[in-house]
Amino acid sequence: MRINLMAACIGMLFLMAPVASGAADYVIGEGDGLDISVWGVKELTFSVKVRPDGKITVPGLGDVAASGTTPKELQVSLGARLRELVKNPIVTVTVRDITNSKVYIYGGGIKSGVYDLQRRTTLLQLLCTLGEVKTADLRRAYLLRNGKRVKEDFYKLFIKGESENDILLESGDSLFIPLLLDKNVYILGAVLTPKAVEYREGMRVMEAILEAGGFTKFADQDDIVIRRKVGQKEQSLEVKAKKLFKQGDLSQNLVLEAGDYVLVKESLF
């Protein structure tokens, strides 16, 4: 599982290069360094840094709003205003230094930090750069944008590989990735050694029961219940092990989640 996940991440990172071809969509922000040139006019070829007020100073025009626009939009805006000074101006705007495009990561599940978006980046691509996420509760993670949750539960995207649920990151996004508080699965009832077993990705109910020593002679193998907390609700899943053993019904060997309680009940007869 880990090898497949690593391969998927490497593949996604290689894909980041062609995605970056849409750099014209980058939105200029405060602190960014710009190279501005007007073809054939040396005096209007210069470098400038976007001030905290979001503006730049252009010779002959004074202060011009730059923050919040794309390079292409700024080119069009400058071209329109420079017609007062230059006949048919050909304007080029290039982002030289990107300092404004950042994503913030916090929550305790992984090391908190600030990620610089040097290119168009998706949530999956960023998750692939974070390293070990074993201690992270991806199911309770969410993406915050302008004060609203625009994406919740990273588990299916990052662990199950459901890339259709991916989302493009924007400057100012915040990723909340909390700590996985319960890392165990609990096996109780009619097993030889009731215990807590450390959860592993892909662990199934029969694997956990075997780690607890297997069934006692009093166990009702068709009366196994998995108790699981989903948000604020509790869920009960039934397992009939005899169907698995005698009929080969693999659907009975359910995949467990961290924090699950597996209760093997005793037979009345």
Side-chain angles (χ1 to χ4, degrees):
M1 176 66 185
R2 183 171 297 178
I3 294 175
N4 292 338
L5 182 59
M6 184 179 297
C9 286
I10 292 173
M12 290 302 298
L13 290 174
F14 276 116
L15 288 174
M16 290 176 76
V19 170
S21 63
D25 294 330
Y26 174 75
V27 177
I28 297 168
E30 294 81 3
D32 285 349
L34 307 178
D35 287 332
I36 298 175
S37 65
V38 178
W39 188 76
V41 185
K42 184 177 180 181
E43 294 78 11
L44 292 176
T45 298
F46 61 98
S47 298
V48 65
K49 188 173 184 179
V50 182
R51 303 194 305 258
D53 63 0
K55 297 179 180 180
I56 59 174
T57 300
V58 179
L61 296 181
D63 290 345
V64 175
S67 182
T69 68
T70 65
K72 185 176 181 179
E73 289 171 343
L74 185 55
Q75 285 177 186
V76 173
S77 174
L78 290 175
R81 294 188 58 179
L82 284 171
R83 288 193 182 95
E84 304 170 7
L85 305 175
V86 181
K87 184 178 181 180
N88 298 325
I90 300 175
V91 182
T92 302
V93 175
T94 305
V95 180
R96 182 184 70 258
D97 296 317
I98 298 175
T99 62
N100 178 68
S101 195
K102 300 180 185 298
V103 170
Y104 304 88
I105 306 166
Y106 67 106
I110 58 171
K111 185 178 180 181
S112 298
V114 180
Y115 181 88
D116 290 315
L117 293 177
Q118 299 296 330
R119 55 177 64 83
R120 296 182 68 187
T121 305
T122 69
L123 174 59
L124 179 57
Q125 290 169 341
L126 177 56
L127 290 174
C128 284
T129 69
L130 299 181
E132 185 61 71
V133 295
K134 187 177 180 180
T135 60
D137 190 345
L138 294 176
R139 287 186 173 85
R140 293 195 297 125
Y142 58 82
L143 171 61
L144 198 65
R145 178 176 296 163
N146 298 322
K148 296 181 180 180
R149 296 187 186 187
V150 296
K151 173 71 178 174
E152 295 181 318
D153 188 352
F154 301 164
Y155 184 86
K156 290 183 179 180
L157 170 65
F158 190 64
I159 301 299
K160 297 297 184 180
E162 297 183 6
S163 57
E164 65 273 13
N165 295 317
D166 205 1
I167 185 173
L168 191 67
L169 296 175
E170 296 182 5
S171 179
D173 282 352
S174 296
L175 301 185
F176 173 72
I177 305 179
L179 182 67
L180 183 62
L181 299 178
D182 196 340
K183 304 176 186 177
N184 295 321
V185 170
Y186 303 89
I187 304 93
L188 307 171
V191 292
L192 291 177
T193 310
K195 63 191 297 187
V197 176
E198 184 176 357
Y199 172 76
R200 299 182 298 276
E201 184 64 41
M203 176 182 283
R204 293 182 179 270
V205 61
M206 291 309 304
E207 180 184 352
I209 290 174
L210 289 174
E211 289 197 32
F215 298 111
T216 68
K217 62 181 180 179
F218 304 107
D220 185 345
Q221 297 181 13
D222 269 353
D223 197 357
I224 304 169
V225 177
I226 301 171
R227 296 287 173 82
R228 176 177 298 164
K229 190 171 183 180
V230 182
Q232 300 300 318
K233 299 180 180 179
E234 290 189 357
Q235 183 180 15
S236 293
L237 305 173
E238 294 183 354
V239 175
K240 297 186 182 298
K242 285 185 179 179
K243 286 189 175 181
L244 173 63
F245 299 146
K246 294 182 179 181
Q247 302 175 22
D249 185 359
L250 297 178
S251 67
Q252 297 298 318
N253 197 14
L254 299 179
V255 176
L256 297 175
E257 296 181 4
D260 279 354
Y261 284 77
V262 179
L263 177 60
V264 181
K265 297 183 181 181
E266 292 188 349
S267 174
L268 298 177
F269 305 99

